[in-house]
Amino acid sequence: MSKTWDERVAAFWDRADDKHPQRMLEDMRALVEERGMDDSEAMFEWASVHDFLGREGEAVPLYRKALDLGLSGDRLPQAIIQLASSLRNIGEPATAVELLRSAPTSAITGNARLAFLALALHDCGDHDAALRVALEALAPALPMYGRAVSRYAAELTESSHQD
């Protein structure tokens, strides 16, 4: 029985190795060409390999194209986070913050959206908000002191909003 396209993509990522970038690009290109550059999932995977190889500037328009093509399902929240991370890495943290603040929550990515939002806020110089987001994401996982951490997190930005 032959593997589905998604199974072959998963196998690609299982063996991903940035020590051989040209081979990675060639292998992913072959997978993408099976579906075509007008397929949102193929475009997402093409963006992802560029991102993985540290080519965030090339990945950004590819992620945007995947989203414009109607990417949905489990890949959608991943694409939003990965696009935001790439934007942050190429010096556009404010755009990343906008994207992450409006991104839906997802079981597939959990609190990853909040982790990347905290990083982007930090890069924007909004350190209190970054720490608040990080602490609010962490608080529910604390077996003790979760309420105290949540309260302290709220205090980080309440004083700046009162001015």
Side-chain angles (χ1 to χ4, degrees):
M1 187 164 119
S2 64
K3 292 184 176 181
T4 67
W5 186 82
D6 283 325
E7 290 169 335
R8 287 182 286 123
V9 167
F12 169 89
W13 287 113
D14 285 343
R15 67 177 186 278
D17 179 3
D18 62 355
K19 293 180 183 124
H20 305 285
Q22 196 55 44
R23 184 173 355 133
M24 284 193 68
L25 288 170
E26 290 167 6
D27 290 352
M28 182 53 76
R29 181 181 298 278
L31 287 165
V32 168
E33 286 176 353
E34 290 179 29
R35 305 266 297 256
M37 295 297 227
D38 60 346
D39 180 274
S40 63
E41 292 179 348
M43 187 55 53
F44 166 73
E45 298 299 342
W46 189 232
S48 295
V49 73
H50 283 80
D51 195 356
F52 179 83
L53 294 171
R55 300 175 180 194
E56 292 95 342
E58 295 172 45
V60 166
L62 299 173
Y63 283 131
R64 286 185 170 143
K65 183 175 179 185
L67 294 169
D68 289 345
L69 288 169
L71 187 65
S72 61
D74 288 346
R75 286 183 171 101
L76 177 60
Q78 294 173 69
I80 293 169
I81 289 170
Q82 290 171 212
L83 170 58
S85 177
S86 291
L87 287 164
R88 179 183 155 266
N89 286 333
I90 64 169
E92 297 183 35
T95 306
V97 167
E98 251 180 72
L99 191 58
L100 291 165
R101 279 194 169 141
S102 64
T105 58
S106 164
I108 191 94
T109 55
N111 280 337
R113 177 185 69 83
L114 298 175
F116 285 95
L117 176 57
L119 289 165
L121 286 164
H122 176 76
D123 285 357
C124 287
D126 197 347
H127 306 293
D128 285 348
L131 183 55
R132 179 179 181 165
V133 166
L135 290 173
E136 287 175 343
L138 176 63
L142 299 175
M144 294 179 68
Y145 311 111
R147 284 180 41 197
V149 168
S150 292
R151 195 171 50 254
Y152 291 136
E155 290 173 3
L156 284 168
T157 53
E158 283 175 0
S159 61
S160 64
H161 291 172
Q162 293 173 353
D163 295 335

